[in-house]
Each structure stands twice: as structure tokens, then as C-alpha cells.
Amino acid sequence: MNKAAQLKQAMVKKAQGMTLQQLIEAFELTNATNGPEIPEVRGVLMDVLEARNAQAFEAWIDSCAESPRAFFLNAA
């Protein structure tokens, strides 16, 4: 396994251990952050959010809202 794959695996494991509140806060931080790693981080966070609540994820994506907060925390 190459270094990039190892880093992604570590990022996924960390995200899976986060609370829903922490996942949302981490995602919101990516809205105000620039860098080449941001799309990868957002992708991992989105994958974990979708795994936690697919209905809330779909509603969020369909809405085009920047933050998933209202969809996930109100659905929990």
C-alpha cells in the first residue's frame, strides 16, 4: 500500500470514530479552507455522513445547501 492510500485509510478510520457533531463541524471547516487535500477530506467526510444516515445525506445533497447540519442534526 502506498503512502497516499495509507493516509486515506487513516483519515477514514478517524472520521468513522467521530461523533455526528464532529463530522459536521469538520465538514463546515472545509468550506473555509483551501488546499489540494480538501476534496479528499470532504469526500471521506461525506462518505461517513452518508453511511450514518442515507436519507439525511440525500436530502442535503438535493438541497444544494453548503452545510449538512440542519439535515443530520434535526434527523438524529
Side-chain angles (χ1 to χ4, degrees):
M1 184 180 299
N2 65 29
K3 186 165 180 130
Q6 289 175 334
L7 287 172
K8 183 171 182 177
Q9 185 177 31
M11 190 173 19
V12 169
K13 185 175 181 178
K14 180 170 181 154
Q16 289 172 335
M18 296 171 116
T19 67
L20 189 55
Q21 180 74 32
Q22 290 169 326
L23 283 168
I24 291 168
E25 288 173 0
F27 188 87
E28 289 172 341
L29 284 174
T30 69
N31 288 334
T33 305
N34 292 319
E37 72 286 350
I38 296 303
E40 184 89 22
V41 171
R42 287 172 71 93
V44 167
L45 295 170
M46 290 172 75
D47 288 346
V48 175
L49 285 168
E50 183 177 24
R52 298 255 180 112
N53 186 333
Q55 285 182 313
F57 183 83
E58 277 297 315
W60 169 47
I61 295 301
D62 288 346
S63 77
C64 297
E66 280 191 29
S67 173
R69 181 175 296 274
F71 301 92
F72 282 86
L73 294 182
N74 292 337

